[in-house]
Amino acid sequence: MEARVLVVANRTAATPALIEAVRERAAKSPAQFTLLVPNPAKGVHRVVDPEDQSQDEAEQTLELAIPLLEQAAGAPVEGMVVDAEPLAAIQDAINIHGFDEIIISTLPTRVSKWLKLDLPSKAAVLGLPVTTVTAGGRTEAATTAH
């Protein structure tokens, strides 16, 4: 049976570190991958600053990253943009779609909001194995809640 792997990324969705992590995970055992791009501003009406992550930019992230991730996975990769903060987005995705593992891709430690919020540890509390990939870095050890 294929494992269902939730890949959570935003600005790092098409980075070499994440692509390599997906390639390595796909080589271990059969898996289906879904790329989730949390976009808290999705449902908010606001003046769009071109520097901000907008719905269009999140969709562009999917368009850029999915072909690269499909090549690494050797299979189709689903993509979704959700209008929630990252932990809520992960919880919803697990509850609705039933994933077996999580890969979280972040910016480097010095600039990552997700690492400052300790997103990998909070996601591990959901009971699934979590692998953290930092852009420009190597995959950290998987974290699993006991």
Side-chain angles (χ1 to χ4, degrees):
M1 185 166 135
E2 286 187 322
R4 292 182 46 87
V5 181
L6 179 64
V7 179
V8 184
N10 190 348
R11 294 182 190 155
T12 60
T15 58
L18 179 58
I19 292 163
E20 184 59 27
V22 167
R23 183 177 291 115
E24 289 173 8
R25 175 56 194 86
K28 275 199 316 191
S29 65
Q32 292 178 342
F33 295 88
T34 299
L35 175 61
L36 177 127
V37 179
N39 185 18
K42 181 179 167 192
V44 178
H45 177 70
R46 63 191 172 96
V47 176
V48 177
D49 178 340
E51 299 298 313
D52 286 348
Q53 174 79 1
S54 67
Q55 174 65 21
D56 289 343
E57 193 172 331
E59 295 291 344
Q60 288 171 0
T61 297
L62 287 181
E63 287 178 27
L64 175 66
I66 285 181
L68 298 171
L69 294 174
E70 286 178 338
Q71 186 176 15
V77 172
E78 290 182 40
M80 51 184 167
V81 175
V82 293
D83 58 349
E85 62 85 25
L87 186 58
I90 292 168
Q91 287 175 310
D92 288 349
I94 291 168
N95 291 337
I96 294 167
H97 302 286
F99 290 95
D100 304 303
E101 303 171 33
I102 305 167
I103 298 174
I104 297 175
S105 178
T106 73
L107 292 167
T109 307
R110 70 185 182 282
V111 293
S112 172
K113 291 179 187 171
W114 290 0
L115 292 178
K116 285 183 178 74
L117 295 171
D118 201 16
L119 181 63
S121 295
K122 290 177 180 173
V125 173
L126 301 173
L128 301 178
V130 176
T131 302
T132 304
V133 178
T134 304
R138 286 301 306 139
T139 306
E140 297 174 15
T143 313
T144 308
H146 296 285

